[in-house]
Amino acid sequence: MTNVQPGWYDDGSGTMRWWDGNAWTEQVQPAAAPAPAPGIGGVFDRIQAEANAGAQPRSAAAGMSYVVLQVVLKEKFFGTGSGNLTELERAINQQAALGYRLHTITTSSSGSTGFGGGDRIQATMVFEKLV
């Protein structure tokens, strides 16, 4: 018997796996990234890693019914199609697999154009646990 709370843990193989409080699930994410590179490149790597972590599927805290995820959407530097809809679909479907439905989604603009000239958009999604 275990008293380990649900959360992301190393499953012993170097992979972070979701522990639901009783057993390992099929939900995995890459192990923690190595220390970011110094300089401006390291800053961008850290920002992207933090944005990706905010979109990871997770269950609500004990006694809670809602989960909030944030996804940073961005313009593609070159070519067409940013993949933003695919990124939103991925986040929504991963939460649905955990038994949640999308309750609310809002977007906000950062007001910053970045290197590629495209504005950064943040999508905040509220998921409700299905009972």
Side-chain angles (χ1 to χ4, degrees):
M1 183 172 223
T2 181
N3 291 330
V4 178
Q5 294 296 312
W8 291 103
Y9 299 98
D10 185 327
D11 67 3
S13 70
T15 299
M16 298 301 286
R17 185 175 299 273
W18 182 260
W19 174 259
D20 67 8
N22 296 310
W24 294 113
T25 68
E26 294 301 313
Q27 298 290 329
V28 296
Q29 64 182 11
I40 194 76
V43 171
F44 288 120
D45 291 344
R46 189 186 82 247
I47 291 169
Q48 186 62 48
E50 288 172 2
N52 290 339
Q56 293 301 317
R58 60 184 179 274
S59 296
M64 305 300 256
S65 299
Y66 293 90
V67 173
V68 178
L69 300 181
Q70 292 181 327
V71 178
V72 176
L73 308 173
K74 57 202 169 295
E75 293 288 331
K76 188 173 181 180
F77 286 137
F78 301 104
T80 59
S82 63
N84 287 337
L85 289 178
T86 303
E87 183 67 18
L88 285 174
E89 284 177 341
R90 183 188 63 76
I92 292 168
N93 285 323
Q94 286 179 329
Q95 270 314 111
L98 294 175
Y100 292 81
R101 71 179 172 106
L102 182 62
H103 180 277
T104 308
I105 184 170
T106 59
T107 59
S108 62
S109 172
S110 71
S112 171
T113 58
F115 287 130
D119 195 11
R120 304 300 189 254
I121 306 294
Q122 178 175 296
T124 302
M125 297 175 285
V126 177
F127 292 89
E128 181 178 18
K129 186 175 184 178
L130 298 174
V131 274

